[in-house]
């Protein structure tokens, strides 16, 4: 089976991703002042920035929460009308570490049935990382729990890409259009209160959270499936963004990107999760769960393609 | 023995604590602008904000240190005249982890006599966490070492409570009134320079730090004692805030909240500490030390009540 | 062999380093307002602040990156014309921990040949720590990868010194003058893209990165050598700042401060590195590599002097 490919992930292009463009190194004082002036805007989301202040350039802006926390994050102001706020990224820093340091979206303290929710970051107000390092580390900002959103967008961006290369360097980008978040409290913090990401929360398939159809901005539903191991093909349907998928051993994952689960091996194609994965203890425990079950980036059997394994999953709200 | 209770910790109320109020989700632009304008105030503490700018609303404000660090934290502007600055919280993220990741107020690198001070955060300028997540993670801001204060206030707030529920959701709140901090350098950073929180700093009782009488804003001196294990009753006196209590094996703890130690088992009712606890190695090592010595939240023998175990200890200065 | 000494590291002076000066505790409102007004400056580096706004006082200022990230850091505005930006510090929090938590400049996940780059922080956009705690913890700000610089300055400052004591309390300070960074992309982020800090990147001596002559602001080339273990004397030349030195077992270190390596035991006098050090696995793994190979601060054989072991390495750009 071929590894999915598209023109944007052409290897010859990828090699240039860490080289600074001349514009970066010689940015003018005028430009810096323009960027600094963005601090005067008052908005809770990129959508509000776009509507209230007619901002249409991708990049970093300041947002404020309902309680007054001010933070900087990246706004995608161009995709499908723009107004998308980056609120989080799931980054696998060490697939050899099994629920060790850096596995903030599952557990950083081992595979442990006594901690069914693991670190619990899907449903708390902890924040970590920075927007600029969203492809080099896990990221979660106050918008994750503060913004009242309707739709989500997801980008898979090669690790360590600088921000101005994210859009063109991504290997997959898509968004939802059905305002599904309105039904689940307006953001992931609320959605996961209703669908707790924890071990033994229910049975696979029967108790999974929602699966939402997506529209592709880069890639397509077949490519989505093919990023995951060939063995998963029989139990996934492309073209969806899915939440709280449970595996056959009652372990919970958080997000299945690009696919809808139709079986019990969700650990091979969903990211994030609770703090206990019984099968092959502790080998399924970690932010990218069991994406390397049959070898690192081999794209054999249950192992995901190397591009997928080495890309961060960026989560946006609108 | 009964677990202490009061109207504020009624279980039926607790269940609603993570549900956002409509005000939160539909905050007006005027309100956001008002919150943002707080950035113009220049003050080193909430007390100064109250006195200089007549601010009387609880919530997030900006402070500045003597060297110019600007940070946001929570001000309690109502208790006993207001002007209390949140400077830190001690949060137990995993009572099963014994001086593992997240035990910033003892040691995150194991129970080790070679590191008598452990991580040393009681006496350094490291900061971590955020005000909004003070009930979901350890928190320490620059005010901890920068503010010149006289008194302290302590709140025990159930884990993961959002900020606007802290006051009403707390299980215990009290403050000192005798300006004791003036005698110890004006803050905990200075106090603990004089009373190092480290293994083998002295003998129990003989070398303990000060115990300061407190005035209760919620709860009372009997309730304070009863949050801890029944076995501790013989060696505690309610109605105090105590510092650097040493146990029978020469391990140091940092803060005994609501009680004065009168024996050598301080690990059962004091939080934080150095990097080595000899007894039952490593089972006493951790931010909530041996609060689960006789089972998780059992309130049997040396084990604290579940409410205490699952609440963060918020520290304020005035 | 004598441990290097100079008047600035006189022990009687060191003892006072954590005592706040009266100026700190009673800073005026005017002074706070002056510090706060620094937020209006628009500059990417301390050099620009000095040139554009005639700022000549050492201390904290705000900088902005090419993409608009605003951050605070320390500017040295006095040494050799001033304009030096603090961008990072390498701090050894636990020499007993071998690539454990806190070893951000090597690996926080053990000594592991599967992770040749370790945590990879020399070549990514992750940031951590704060300027005020640069002597209490590892520090890396956006300037590390954003600033286009020509020269570097390095200060070795005793752990836990407050910022206003750094300059006088340092045990060694020096800077380069030959604009060497222009040849390597303008900063360490770019330099280390060309000289990856990873296991098995090449052979010792043959594949080392550049060594740049330095001018001393405190200390001298003989003192530089003598901070390291006596056994290293035969293979170091004082008066240099060196990069990506490789040891005899093909492990890479990042920075040799004050010396040029002329042999294969670079782990005894260089800091930072990749994720795998084969010799004595895991005893060479850590931010200060094998500085305590023959005992903690003994200054015997390969062990560095206690002053060096207990000082943070502060890195500046200009």
């Amino acid at each position: 089976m071929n590894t999915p490919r598209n023109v944007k992930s052409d290897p010859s292009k990828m090699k240039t991703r860490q080289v600074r463009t001349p514009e970066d190194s010689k940015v003018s004082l005028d430009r810096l002042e323009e960027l600094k002036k963005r601090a005067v805007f008052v908005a809770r989301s990129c959508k509000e920035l776009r509507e209230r202040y007619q901002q249409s350039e991708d990049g970093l802006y300041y947002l404020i929460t309902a309680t007054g926390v001010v933070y900087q994050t990246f706004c995608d102001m161009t995709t499908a009308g723009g107004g998308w706020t980056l609120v989080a990224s799931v980054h696998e820093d060490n697939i050899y570490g099994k629920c060790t340091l850096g596995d903030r979206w599952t557990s950083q303290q081992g595979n442990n049935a006594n901690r069914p929710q693991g670190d619990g970051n899907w449903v708390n107000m902890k924040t970590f990382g920075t927007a600029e390092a969203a492809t080099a580390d896990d990221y979660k900002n106050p918008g994750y729990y503060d913004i009242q959103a309707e739709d989500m967008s997801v980008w898979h961006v090669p690790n360590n890409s600088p921000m101005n290369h994210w859009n063109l360097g991504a290997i997959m980008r898509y968004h939802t259009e059905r305002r599904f978040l309105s039904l689940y409290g307006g953001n992931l913090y609320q959605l996961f209160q209703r669908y707790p990401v924890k071990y033994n929360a229910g049975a696979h398939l029967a108790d999974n959270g929602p699966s939402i159809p997506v529209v592709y901005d880069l890639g397509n539903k077949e490519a989505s499936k093919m990023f995951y191991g060939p063995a998963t093909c029989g139990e996934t349907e492309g073209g969806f963004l899915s939440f709280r998928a449970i595996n056959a051993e009652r372990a919970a994952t958080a997000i299945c990107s690009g696919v809808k689960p139709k079986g019990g091996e969700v650990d091979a194609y969903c990211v994030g999760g609770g703090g206990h994965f019984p099968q092959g203890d502790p080998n399924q425990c970690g932010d990218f769960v069991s994406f390397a079950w049959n070898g690192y980036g081999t794209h054999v059997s249950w192992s995901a393609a190397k591009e997928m394994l080495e890309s961060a999953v960026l989560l946006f709200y609108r």
Side-chain angles (χ1 to χ4, degrees), chain A:
Chain A
M1 180 175 293
N2 288 328
T3 298
R5 290 227 170 266
N6 63 57
V7 66
K8 297 298 169 40
S9 63
D10 177 76
S12 64
K13 279 201 167 181
M14 306 272 289
K15 280 186 186 164
T16 67
R17 74 177 189 249
Q18 288 178 336
V19 177
R20 284 285 176 131
T21 59
E23 297 90 307
D24 268 350
S25 57
K26 292 180 185 161
V27 59
S28 71
L29 178 58
D30 281 355
R31 173 62 176 161
L32 292 177
E33 285 179 344
E34 184 191 316
L35 288 170
K36 191 142 189 180
K37 276 187 192 143
R38 288 180 178 171
V40 303
F41 302 144
V42 179
R44 270 176 86 182
S45 68
C46 298
K47 188 180 170 220
E48 286 183 20
L49 276 173
R50 202 175 196 312
E51 291 172 355
R52 194 175 295 149
Y53 303 100
Q54 291 77 50
Q55 296 297 298
S56 59
E57 188 192 355
D58 292 357
L60 291 174
Y61 291 85
Y62 291 87
L63 299 177
I64 186 167
T65 70
T67 57
V69 176
V70 172
Y71 64 102
Q72 278 192 300
T73 194
F74 176 82
C75 293
D76 166 14
M77 294 304 205
T78 48
T79 302
W84 299 96
T85 309
L86 176 68
V87 298
S89 76
V90 182
H91 170 263
E92 180 55 68
D93 70 321
N94 176 17
I95 195 74
Y96 303 107
K98 297 305 173 185
C99 281
T100 55
L101 190 70
D103 283 324
R104 296 183 188 82
W105 294 113
T106 43
S107 163
Q108 298 185 99
Q109 302 208 37
N111 191 26
N112 185 349
N114 282 328
R115 294 178 79 225
Q117 292 214 357
D119 282 16
N121 288 322
W122 297 102
V123 285
N124 66 28
M125 294 186 174
K126 278 179 71 169
T127 53
F128 38 81
T130 63
E132 281 220 316
T135 59
D137 199 7
D138 291 330
Y139 177 49
K140 181 185 170 197
N141 66 36
Y144 178 87
Y145 58 79
D146 179 71
I147 295 172
Q148 297 295 308
E150 297 173 326
D151 281 300
M152 284 188 65
S153 163
V154 179
W155 295 10
H156 291 252
V157 182
N159 287 343
N160 293 312
S161 303
M163 190 178 291
N164 55 354
H165 291 214
W166 289 354
N167 189 315
L168 291 178
I171 61 171
M172 177 163 68
R173 297 196 290 115
Y174 60 80
H175 65 277
T176 71
E177 290 196 336
R178 301 194 178 188
R179 306 190 172 184
F180 79 100
L181 279 175
S182 311
L183 303 176
Y184 301 101
N187 53 51
L188 292 180
Y189 173 85
Q190 295 291 354
L191 184 150
F192 287 122
Q193 304 283 352
R194 303 182 193 190
Y195 294 95
V197 183
K198 66 179 183 188
Y199 172 61
N200 213 12
H204 75 281
L205 290 180
D207 295 304
N208 283 356
S211 287
I212 315 298
V214 302
V215 173
Y216 285 87
D217 300 298
L218 177 73
N220 57 58
K221 62 169 70 175
E222 279 313 302
S224 285
K225 287 187 60 164
M226 293 199 299
F227 278 120
Y228 305 108
T232 70
C233 277
E235 68 167 77
T236 58
E237 181 178 350
F240 289 88
L241 173 59
S242 304
F243 302 95
R244 217 279 297 269
I246 297 174
N247 79 4
E249 295 81 27
R250 303 181 77 82
T253 62
I255 290 181
C256 316
S257 179
V259 295
K260 179 181 189 168
K262 298 169 73 177
E265 308 288 354
V266 301
D267 41 82
Y269 51 89
C270 306
V271 298
H276 188 50
F277 292 77
Q279 193 183 7
D281 177 3
N283 287 332
Q284 291 191 341
C285 210
D287 282 359
F288 273 20
V289 198
S290 63
F291 279 27
W293 190 253
N294 294 103
Y296 184 98
T298 57
H299 206 240
V300 164
S301 193
W302 299 102
S303 278
K306 196 157 178 275
E307 286 102 321
M308 177 59 73
L309 198 63
E310 297 183 352
S311 292
V313 184
L314 275 54
L315 306 177
F316 297 79
Y317 290 163
R318 181 171 75 180

